[in-house]
Amino acid sequence: MISHLIAGDPRMSGGELRMRGRHRRGPFADGPARRRFSLLLVLAMVLGMASTAQLAGPPTAEAAAPNGYVPLPNWTIASNENATTTMPGNAAGLGTVTGHNDSYLSQAMWAGTDNWSLDGVIVPRLLPTQDSVTRYGNPCVQGKPVNQINQCSAHGFTVTLPRPLVDPIIAIGMGGGGWNSPSACTQNWYDVGVTSINGAAPTAGAVTAPYGTGNYAFAGNRLSLPQSYVNNRCDAPTSPVVYLQLKGLVTSYSLDNYYMGAVTANPTGEQVSASAIGGLRTNTYAPPADLSISKTGPASAVNGGPIQWSINVTNNGPQPSHGFIVRDAVPAGVTNPSLVSAPPGCTLTGSDLYCSAAPPSCTISPDATVTT
């Protein structure tokens, strides 16, 4: 069986396996054996911005999954802190995906309508609490120079996967808000930064924006509205969904959502107010790969002599495979087996044979993957 897919070449031949042992009875195999295992993993985040002085509405443009990637299924909000879902397809058995709101300054919401879905999937939405808007948003804009960008507060969100996912994509959609009077305007929105991958600060090049950033600028693993966009605007910030790609084997990642504010017009110096915002919509996207396996071997063997068979693993796509573990069992009729020769990555423990293929700079063991 294929016990876990992680990453690697589109096609790998298992090569020649030779094993020595005593064969008591019966044929070695009943002919070729084939199994297929589809692993679809996904994680992404989506945001968009709208234009009301109250809570902003949905993004101006719906997202479309990057070619060859699949989104996580519909999420369930268990509380203001946690949202859960599973991997799509056959990978659901790997376990639960958890999204956790790390900040008391924000709340997780699930509107349950198409307005807050992404690619037809209901996703978590994170936004500042009203208390956060009042306590941190108002001082963030009141008395500040026109067109000065200010950071009001920070809100954290962490997604944890049950198994490592290679090169996932996060879809991020930010919904902004605005306040205005006849002579003054303010804007509020989220900047978003990837602050950790697998519990550590991202290394150089670990976060990219291959599909563009809409109205946002991207630097230092952070999406920020640039000064040129904010200047003198009296409408709420808007942006299409932005996709960020994380590189390598990812088991968790954290986002910091920065509640930002600016006074964009105030010729009379009046008292202004901050605005609630539509917040952050997010989901995870993963590249699916369909692996199949075939095994051939002799129908009989000589007692005490070597037994030779071949195992071939094929990736049927649509994305390149990033590595895998093949687990095979020595037939019950073979006693005291020992591995005579095998391709790199193969080990024999008792009657269990494991052969693994890992991505560059990574090692892999049964039911686990780790970076080196």
Side-chain angles (χ1 to χ4, degrees), residues 101-196:
N101 174 18
D102 301 323
S103 175
Y104 71 93
L105 298 174
S106 60
Q107 58 184 326
M109 297 184 67
W110 174 65
T113 69
D114 289 340
N115 288 339
W116 296 105
S117 67
L118 181 64
D119 293 330
V121 175
I122 300 298
V123 297
R125 176 163 61 111
L126 200 74
L127 70 163
T129 63
Q130 186 56 52
D131 180 63
S132 179
V133 174
T134 302
R135 292 175 59 188
Y136 301 96
N138 283 341
C140 187
V141 295
Q142 290 171 352
K144 299 300 173 61
V146 172
N147 292 329
Q148 175 179 291
I149 296 177
N150 309 285
Q151 182 172 309
C152 310
S153 57
H155 312 254
F157 190 74
T158 298
V159 173
T160 302
L161 299 164
R163 291 291 188 275
L165 175 62
V166 175
D167 297 347
I169 286 178
I170 307 171
I172 300 178
M174 288 148 292
W179 174 95
N180 64 76
S181 73
S183 61
C185 303
T186 65
Q187 285 188 330
N188 289 92
W189 66 93
Y190 264 155
D191 282 358
V192 179
V194 180
T195 52
S196 75

Side-chain angles (χ1 to χ4, degrees), residues 67-92:
N67 186 35
Y69 281 74
V70 181
L72 290 183
N74 288 353
W75 291 70
T76 297
I77 304 298
S79 68
N80 278 345
E81 290 77 37
N82 292 316
T84 60
T85 187
T86 59
M87 298 292 186
N90 292 342

Side-chain angles (χ1 to χ4, degrees), residues 18-56:
R18 294 172 61 84
M19 188 167 295
R20 186 177 298 276
R22 295 192 64 81
H23 183 72
R24 291 202 307 259
R25 60 185 175 78
F28 173 75
D30 295 325
R34 179 178 297 270
R35 288 178 182 264
R36 295 172 65 90
F37 179 79
S38 297
L39 181 59
L40 308 178
L41 308 178
V42 186
L43 206 67
M45 301 206 150
V46 188
L47 313 148
M49 297 183 153
S51 54
T52 70
Q54 306 301 316
L55 184 65

Side-chain angles (χ1 to χ4, degrees), residues 340-369:
V340 177
S341 64
C346 291
T347 60
L348 179 68
T349 303
S351 295
D352 291 324
L353 175 70
Y354 294 92
C355 292
S356 63
S361 302
C362 298
T363 60
I364 183 171
S365 60
D367 201 36
T369 58

